[in-house]
Amino acid sequence: KIAENQPNFFQFSDENLNEAKKIINRYPQKKQASALMPLLYLVQKQNDNWIPLVAMKYLAKLLNISYIQVYEVATFYSMYNLSPVGKYFVQVCTTTPCMISGAEKLVEVCKNKISRKQNELSANKKCSWIEVECLGACVNAPIMQINEDYFEDLDKEKTDEIIDMIIKDKFP
């Protein structure tokens, strides 16, 4: 889902521009477009967990590739958020091992505390949630991911505590 209200300007911070240059320099001349995926991730980290269209255009210029090449990659992979998700993006695994282990209770907590619908920002705009396919930690089901961190062996009570913390803008 692509955000409707897009910002009209983006550029890397000085620190991230230096990081982007390091990433680009890992690739040989004329193959530096291969840096696109880590650069999209860097944009997302800088821009409150999402990638606006203007940032895709910025990366196209930076890598000397077409905007559509950036857009194709950004829209193909589910790890890139193309609309605001909030400071804390909660992904609840609902594949079979997690579902058997109680993932529906985690989903219910998200519906009650964050928003009734997936991909909808909380009232304070700090977080959103979504159901996802396997997060690859089935042995510790049910699990959820918040931004880059996994939370495993969850139950309703633990999930309540974690979600309460992020709503108060405190990372668990």
Side-chain angles (χ1 to χ4, degrees):
K1 179 182 167 186
I2 297 177
E4 292 175 16
N5 294 330
Q6 294 277 326
N8 55 15
F9 182 76
F10 177 87
Q11 74 179 44
F12 278 131
S13 65
D14 290 342
E15 180 182 337
N16 282 341
L17 184 57
N18 287 334
E19 183 62 25
K21 288 176 183 176
K22 288 179 191 173
I23 292 168
I24 292 167
N25 286 332
R26 292 180 193 154
Y27 299 92
Q29 290 294 327
K30 299 189 182 187
K31 300 290 184 188
Q32 293 180 328
S34 298
L36 179 57
M37 290 183 70
L39 293 180
L40 282 166
Y41 188 66
L42 191 59
V43 167
Q44 186 165 282
K45 284 180 73 175
Q46 177 179 312
N47 196 59
D48 295 326
N49 278 335
W50 76 288
I51 303 167
L53 295 173
V54 68
M56 289 185 224
K57 292 176 182 177
Y58 174 84
L59 290 181
K61 287 181 184 172
L62 187 66
L63 293 171
N64 197 27
I65 59 177
S66 69
Y67 160 70
I68 194 65
Q69 288 175 281
V70 178
Y71 185 81
E72 288 171 339
V73 172
T75 58
F76 180 79
Y77 291 99
S78 61
M79 64 192 181
Y80 301 122
N81 304 315
L82 304 180
S83 61
V85 294
K87 184 175 179 180
Y88 305 103
F89 183 45
V90 179
Q91 299 174 69
V92 179
C93 179
T94 55
T95 335
T96 304
C98 283
M99 193 54 74
I100 290 171
S101 300
E104 73 279 350
K105 292 176 184 160
L106 281 58
V107 168
E108 201 54 42
V109 170
C110 290
K111 284 181 178 180
N112 291 333
K113 295 196 174 222
I114 298 174
S115 64
R116 293 304 302 161
K117 296 179 184 176
Q118 296 182 63
N119 293 312
E120 189 174 272
L121 286 170
S122 59
N124 68 358
K125 309 286 187 224
K126 291 286 181 199
C127 54
S128 64
W129 71 278
I130 188 171
E131 289 183 41
V132 295
E133 291 301 313
C134 187
L135 289 171
C138 304
V139 70
N140 295 328
I143 67 168
M144 69 181 177
Q145 181 177 347
I146 302 175
N147 300 343
E148 300 168 4
D149 295 291
Y150 276 45
F151 296 83
E152 304 173 340
D153 298 311
L154 295 171
D155 57 23
K156 182 185 181 309
E157 292 74 26
K158 286 181 195 173
T159 306
D160 267 329
E161 288 176 33
I162 292 167
I163 300 301
D164 283 344
M165 288 181 77
I166 64 171
I167 287 173
K168 294 175 184 168
D169 199 12
K170 294 179 181 169
F171 194 80

